[in-house]
mmCIF file with all atom_site columns, all heavy atoms in Angstrom:
data_model
loop_
_atom_site.group_PDB
_atom_site.id
_atom_site.type_symbol
_atom_site.label_atom_id
_atom_site.label_alt_id
_atom_site.label_comp_id
_atom_site.label_asym_id
_atom_site.label_entity_id
_atom_site.label_seq_id
_atom_site.pdbx_PDB_ins_code
_atom_site.Cartn_x
_atom_site.Cartn_y
_atom_site.Cartn_z
_atom_site.occupancy
_atom_site.B_iso_or_equiv
_atom_site.pdbx_formal_charge
_atom_site.auth_seq_id
_atom_site.auth_comp_id
_atom_site.auth_asym_id
_atom_site.auth_atom_id
_atom_site.pdbx_PDB_model_num
ATOM 1  N N   . ASP A 1 60  ? -79.792 6.063  15.885 1.00 0.00 ? 60  ASP A N   1
ATOM 2  C CA  . ASP A 1 60  ? -78.981 7.209  15.515 1.00 0.00 ? 60  ASP A CA  1
ATOM 3  C C   . ASP A 1 60  ? -78.947 8.240  16.646 1.00 0.00 ? 60  ASP A C   1
ATOM 4  O O   . ASP A 1 60  ? -77.908 8.828  16.937 1.00 0.00 ? 60  ASP A O   1
ATOM 5  C CB  . ASP A 1 60  ? -79.507 7.845  14.226 1.00 0.00 ? 60  ASP A CB  1
ATOM 6  C CG  . ASP A 1 60  ? -78.592 8.941  13.730 1.00 0.00 ? 60  ASP A CG  1
ATOM 7  O OD1 . ASP A 1 60  ? -77.394 8.664  13.524 1.00 0.00 ? 60  ASP A OD1 1
ATOM 8  O OD2 . ASP A 1 60  ? -79.068 10.079 13.574 1.00 0.00 ? 60  ASP A OD2 1
ATOM 9  N N   . ARG A 1 64  ? -75.509 9.465  18.387 1.00 0.00 ? 64  ARG A N   1
ATOM 10 C CA  . ARG A 1 64  ? -75.115 10.876 18.430 1.00 0.00 ? 64  ARG A CA  1
ATOM 11 C C   . ARG A 1 64  ? -74.938 11.353 19.871 1.00 0.00 ? 64  ARG A C   1
ATOM 12 O O   . ARG A 1 64  ? -73.994 12.081 20.181 1.00 0.00 ? 64  ARG A O   1
ATOM 13 C CB  . ARG A 1 64  ? -76.119 11.738 17.684 1.00 0.00 ? 64  ARG A CB  1
ATOM 14 C CG  . ARG A 1 64  ? -75.971 11.629 16.164 1.00 0.00 ? 64  ARG A CG  1
ATOM 15 C CD  . ARG A 1 64  ? -76.892 12.549 15.377 1.00 0.00 ? 64  ARG A CD  1
ATOM 16 N NE  . ARG A 1 64  ? -78.266 12.050 15.445 1.00 0.00 ? 64  ARG A NE  1
ATOM 17 C CZ  . ARG A 1 64  ? -79.285 12.691 16.007 1.00 0.00 ? 64  ARG A CZ  1
ATOM 18 N NH1 . ARG A 1 64  ? -79.121 13.876 16.557 1.00 0.00 ? 64  ARG A NH1 1
ATOM 19 N NH2 . ARG A 1 64  ? -80.486 12.159 16.025 1.00 0.00 ? 64  ARG A NH2 1
ATOM 20 N N   . LEU A 1 77  ? -62.698 17.247 30.931 1.00 0.00 ? 77  LEU A N   1
ATOM 21 C CA  . LEU A 1 77  ? -61.555 16.734 31.691 1.00 0.00 ? 77  LEU A CA  1
ATOM 22 C C   . LEU A 1 77  ? -60.293 17.537 31.388 1.00 0.00 ? 77  LEU A C   1
ATOM 23 O O   . LEU A 1 77  ? -59.507 17.830 32.293 1.00 0.00 ? 77  LEU A O   1
ATOM 24 C CB  . LEU A 1 77  ? -61.338 15.249 31.393 1.00 0.00 ? 77  LEU A CB  1
ATOM 25 C CG  . LEU A 1 77  ? -62.391 14.293 31.957 1.00 0.00 ? 77  LEU A CG  1
ATOM 26 C CD1 . LEU A 1 77  ? -62.126 12.865 31.479 1.00 0.00 ? 77  LEU A CD1 1
ATOM 27 C CD2 . LEU A 1 77  ? -62.445 14.352 33.478 1.00 0.00 ? 77  LEU A CD2 1
ATOM 28 N N   . ALA A 1 84  ? -54.705 13.554 30.879 1.00 0.00 ? 84  ALA A N   1
ATOM 29 C CA  . ALA A 1 84  ? -54.405 12.130 30.690 1.00 0.00 ? 84  ALA A CA  1
ATOM 30 C C   . ALA A 1 84  ? -55.688 11.297 30.743 1.00 0.00 ? 84  ALA A C   1
ATOM 31 O O   . ALA A 1 84  ? -55.848 10.348 29.971 1.00 0.00 ? 84  ALA A O   1
ATOM 32 C CB  . ALA A 1 84  ? -53.412 11.648 31.743 1.00 0.00 ? 84  ALA A CB  1
ATOM 33 N N   . ALA A 1 87  ? -57.901 11.462 27.389 1.00 0.00 ? 87  ALA A N   1
ATOM 34 C CA  . ALA A 1 87  ? -57.497 10.747 26.175 1.00 0.00 ? 87  ALA A CA  1
ATOM 35 C C   . ALA A 1 87  ? -58.383 9.533  25.896 1.00 0.00 ? 87  ALA A C   1
ATOM 36 O O   . ALA A 1 87  ? -58.714 9.273  24.736 1.00 0.00 ? 87  ALA A O   1
ATOM 37 C CB  . ALA A 1 87  ? -56.035 10.329 26.274 1.00 0.00 ? 87  ALA A CB  1
ATOM 38 N N   . PRO A 1 89  ? -61.769 8.742  26.564 1.00 0.00 ? 89  PRO A N   1
ATOM 39 C CA  . PRO A 1 89  ? -63.039 8.967  25.868 1.00 0.00 ? 89  PRO A CA  1
ATOM 40 C C   . PRO A 1 89  ? -62.852 9.590  24.486 1.00 0.00 ? 89  PRO A C   1
ATOM 41 O O   . PRO A 1 89  ? -63.610 9.282  23.563 1.00 0.00 ? 89  PRO A O   1
ATOM 42 C CB  . PRO A 1 89  ? -63.822 9.895  26.803 1.00 0.00 ? 89  PRO A CB  1
ATOM 43 C CG  . PRO A 1 89  ? -62.832 10.465 27.740 1.00 0.00 ? 89  PRO A CG  1
ATOM 44 C CD  . PRO A 1 89  ? -61.715 9.489  27.834 1.00 0.00 ? 89  PRO A CD  1
ATOM 45 N N   . VAL A 1 94  ? -63.019 8.973  18.326 1.00 0.00 ? 94  VAL A N   1
ATOM 46 C CA  . VAL A 1 94  ? -62.487 8.906  16.960 1.00 0.00 ? 94  VAL A CA  1
ATOM 47 C C   . VAL A 1 94  ? -62.419 7.478  16.449 1.00 0.00 ? 94  VAL A C   1
ATOM 48 O O   . VAL A 1 94  ? -62.411 7.255  15.238 1.00 0.00 ? 94  VAL A O   1
ATOM 49 C CB  . VAL A 1 94  ? -61.135 9.647  16.816 1.00 0.00 ? 94  VAL A CB  1
ATOM 50 C CG1 . VAL A 1 94  ? -61.300 11.122 17.144 1.00 0.00 ? 94  VAL A CG1 1
ATOM 51 C CG2 . VAL A 1 94  ? -60.041 9.017  17.647 1.00 0.00 ? 94  VAL A CG2 1
ATOM 52 N N   . LEU A 1 107 ? -58.364 15.374 21.117 1.00 0.00 ? 107 LEU A N   1
ATOM 53 C CA  . LEU A 1 107 ? -57.394 14.337 21.501 1.00 0.00 ? 107 LEU A CA  1
ATOM 54 C C   . LEU A 1 107 ? -55.970 14.867 21.368 1.00 0.00 ? 107 LEU A C   1
ATOM 55 O O   . LEU A 1 107 ? -55.116 14.590 22.228 1.00 0.00 ? 107 LEU A O   1
ATOM 56 C CB  . LEU A 1 107 ? -57.612 13.083 20.649 1.00 0.00 ? 107 LEU A CB  1
ATOM 57 C CG  . LEU A 1 107 ? -56.801 11.845 21.005 1.00 0.00 ? 107 LEU A CG  1
ATOM 58 C CD1 . LEU A 1 107 ? -56.963 11.462 22.477 1.00 0.00 ? 107 LEU A CD1 1
ATOM 59 C CD2 . LEU A 1 107 ? -57.217 10.685 20.103 1.00 0.00 ? 107 LEU A CD2 1
ATOM 60 N N   . LEU A 1 121 ? -49.061 14.690 17.945 1.00 0.00 ? 121 LEU A N   1
ATOM 61 C CA  . LEU A 1 121 ? -48.718 14.874 16.533 1.00 0.00 ? 121 LEU A CA  1
ATOM 62 C C   . LEU A 1 121 ? -49.195 13.699 15.682 1.00 0.00 ? 121 LEU A C   1
ATOM 63 O O   . LEU A 1 121 ? -49.670 13.898 14.556 1.00 0.00 ? 121 LEU A O   1
ATOM 64 C CB  . LEU A 1 121 ? -47.210 15.075 16.383 1.00 0.00 ? 121 LEU A CB  1
ATOM 65 C CG  . LEU A 1 121 ? -46.657 16.355 17.007 1.00 0.00 ? 121 LEU A CG  1
ATOM 66 C CD1 . LEU A 1 121 ? -45.132 16.346 16.989 1.00 0.00 ? 121 LEU A CD1 1
ATOM 67 C CD2 . LEU A 1 121 ? -47.213 17.590 16.323 1.00 0.00 ? 121 LEU A CD2 1
ATOM 68 N N   . ASP A 1 153 ? -43.989 23.815 19.533 1.00 0.00 ? 153 ASP A N   1
ATOM 69 C CA  . ASP A 1 153 ? -43.712 23.624 20.964 1.00 0.00 ? 153 ASP A CA  1
ATOM 70 C C   . ASP A 1 153 ? -42.530 22.706 21.206 1.00 0.00 ? 153 ASP A C   1
ATOM 71 O O   . ASP A 1 153 ? -42.112 22.540 22.334 1.00 0.00 ? 153 ASP A O   1
ATOM 72 C CB  . ASP A 1 153 ? -44.944 23.054 21.683 1.00 0.00 ? 153 ASP A CB  1
ATOM 73 C CG  . ASP A 1 153 ? -46.027 24.102 21.876 1.00 0.00 ? 153 ASP A CG  1
ATOM 74 O OD1 . ASP A 1 153 ? -45.745 25.307 21.700 1.00 0.00 ? 153 ASP A OD1 1
ATOM 75 O OD2 . ASP A 1 153 ? -47.163 23.713 22.198 1.00 0.00 ? 153 ASP A OD2 1
#
Side-chain angles (χ1 to χ4, degrees):
D60 187 56
R64 284 184 287 116
L77 289 175
V94 299
L107 187 54
L121 294 171
D153 286 346

